[in-house]
Amino acid sequence: MESIKESVKQMPGFEKFQEKYELMKQQVLTDPKVMRFLRENPDISDAHADKLLSSFYTFKNEQQACSNCPGLDRCPNLMQGYRSELTRVRQTVELRYKPCELKLHDEHKKSMASLIKSYFIPKEILGATFDRLYKHSIDDTRRNAISKAYEFVQMAGTNQPLKGIYFYGKFGVGKTYLLGAIANGLAEKGIHSLMVHTPEFLREMKQSLSDGSFDTKMELLKTVPVLMLDDIGAENMTNWVRDEIIGVILQYRMMEKLPTLYTSNCDYDMLQQHLSYSQKGGLDEVKALRIMERIKHLSSPVFMGGNKNFRDEF
């Protein structure tokens, strides 16, 4: 009976296939990196090398792809974002994979993103960095605010007491962007933070009473290692918002010594006046003062000025 091998040899086109195979084999075995591996492992015979041709072929192609990297999203390698390596394992050779620099950078970004939670914060703010802040024109008050923010990040995670910051100033001076830079700086150190646009978030808290998520959201704001309340003072103030949400959150954070940061268009006096409004008419100055004492206990005021609109610089 004729063997399978002999039958294959008699198939039409076998000779051309054989020629292409031999050419491919020569290209693989003369590849500089494959040749170096074979020199470093002289006990691999020619016959053994022939059996390893498939692994050598994959290694050669993937190394060439890495040399002309098209980017992580278009990586043509078998395992996207990984480099193959020829590894000697006892009497054979295996292909093992390690993440490339782009893959490691991407994983780092995703890891950082997982440390930053946000509600109603624009994406460009979540990508803020101190480097970008310093590259743009800043006056003395902005420079001081950036310095205070950077000091906060440096102090975070140490055993030293950490007080929050109350950034205040007019619209568009970069207060929210600065919170984003702080959040990313904290993420670099592995510290969780939460940024919320206060007016929108408080509206959502009212709705969460009906969907059953109120307690979960309150617990998150109370216990997150670093809380950032953006644009406080711009919300529609009610007794319930002031006493049952803001007051409860800040009381817990004050007792647990958890730092809280704020941005506002109001200074302390203006914010106290805003908090004092009562739905029943008149002013509830005592309760407003109680909230302000918690805010002052948890933060130091830092003014941000400037004649240029920070948003126009990006």
Side-chain angles (χ1 to χ4, degrees):
M1 180 180 292
E2 189 176 35
S3 68
I4 294 177
K5 184 176 182 180
E6 291 301 319
S7 298
V8 171
K9 287 183 179 180
Q10 295 175 19
M11 291 177 63
F14 174 76
E15 290 185 0
K16 288 187 177 180
F17 169 78
Q18 187 69 17
E19 288 177 7
K20 290 181 179 179
Y21 174 80
E22 291 297 331
L23 178 61
M24 181 271 291
K25 175 181 173 182
Q26 182 182 7
Q27 291 174 343
V28 170
L29 295 179
T30 56
D31 177 80
K33 293 184 178 179
V34 173
M35 291 177 65
R36 183 172 63 188
F37 179 80
L38 291 172
R39 284 197 302 269
E40 293 171 351
N41 296 273
D43 58 321
I44 296 178
S45 65
D46 291 345
H48 192 189
D50 284 349
K51 294 179 181 179
L52 297 169
L53 198 60
S54 176
S55 294
F56 290 156
Y57 178 78
T58 300
F59 172 74
K60 167 184 170 294
N61 287 345
E62 293 194 343
Q63 290 295 314
Q64 289 178 347
C66 288
S67 298
N68 302 285
C69 179
L72 185 60
D73 292 340
R74 293 184 293 165
C75 175
N77 288 355
L78 182 64
M79 294 179 62
Q80 194 175 58
Y82 287 80
R83 292 179 180 271
S84 57
E85 294 183 351
L86 292 169
T87 306
R88 189 67 185 271
V89 182
R90 298 185 181 88
Q91 301 303 312
T92 188
V93 176
E94 293 181 356
L95 274 179
R96 293 189 176 177
Y97 290 84
K98 289 185 177 181
C100 68
E101 291 79 6
L102 291 180
K103 181 67 174 177
L104 290 172
H105 180 68
D106 184 64
E107 289 177 348
H108 178 63
K109 284 176 61 179
K110 289 178 179 177
S111 175
M112 283 184 58
S114 70
L115 293 170
I116 304 173
K117 293 182 174 65
S118 66
Y119 284 100
F120 311 106
I121 299 294
K123 288 184 178 180
E124 60 268 23
I125 299 300
L126 298 179
T129 64
F130 284 106
D131 287 342
R132 290 187 65 191
L133 279 164
Y134 279 116
K135 287 179 181 177
H136 291 264
S137 58
I138 51 178
D139 63 8
D140 288 342
T141 62
R142 285 183 182 176
R143 187 173 292 106
N144 177 62
I146 295 169
S147 177
K148 294 294 184 183
Y150 186 76
E151 287 175 12
F152 177 88
V153 172
Q154 296 304 302
M155 291 282 289
T158 67
N159 294 325
Q160 301 180 52
L162 186 61
K163 197 171 186 180
I165 307 173
Y166 183 91
F167 296 107
Y168 69 100
K170 63 182 182 180
F171 295 100
V173 295
K175 301 185 298 296
T176 304
Y177 193 90
L178 189 53
L179 289 189
I182 293 172
N184 280 296
L186 293 172
E188 288 279 4
K189 300 180 71 172
I191 299 172
H192 288 264
S193 66
L194 170 64
M195 288 181 65
V196 300
H197 182 248
T198 308
E200 293 291 341
F201 183 75
L202 290 174
R203 276 194 285 271
E204 182 179 281
M205 289 299 286
K206 294 178 184 177
Q207 297 173 1
S208 69
L209 287 170
S210 58
D211 64 24
S213 63
F214 179 83
D215 289 342
T216 300
K217 289 172 182 174
M218 281 292 287
E219 188 67 14
L220 175 61
L221 267 75
K222 286 162 57 179
T223 61
V224 68
V226 179
L227 174 63
M228 305 182 194
L229 298 176
D230 181 45
D231 211 11
I232 190 170
E235 66 281 344
N236 292 323
M237 186 52 57
T238 67
N239 294 350
W240 181 76
V241 163
R242 180 192 61 212
D243 302 332
E244 301 302 325
I245 300 182
I246 297 176
V248 170
I249 290 169
L250 296 186
Q251 176 65 21
Y252 182 93
R253 297 188 66 80
M254 182 176 69
M255 297 300 293
E256 296 298 320
K257 299 181 180 179
L258 296 171
T260 306
L261 297 99
Y262 313 80
T263 70
S264 183
N265 299 126
C266 305
D267 61 18
Y268 277 167
D269 290 338
M270 293 171 62
L271 182 62
Q272 182 170 332
Q273 184 178 5
H274 171 74
L275 291 169
S276 68
Y277 288 117
S278 173
Q279 291 172 298
K280 299 177 181 178
L283 300 175
D284 198 337
E285 295 179 350
V286 173
K287 289 185 178 180
L289 181 60
R290 185 178 298 127
I291 299 291
M292 287 307 304
E293 286 303 312
R294 293 168 188 169
I295 290 175
K296 291 176 181 179
H297 182 82
L298 294 169
S299 67
S300 298
V302 174
F303 174 69
M304 289 184 70
N307 296 320
K308 291 184 179 181
N309 190 314
F310 189 80
R311 296 182 183 121
D312 295 337
E313 300 180 25
F314 285 88

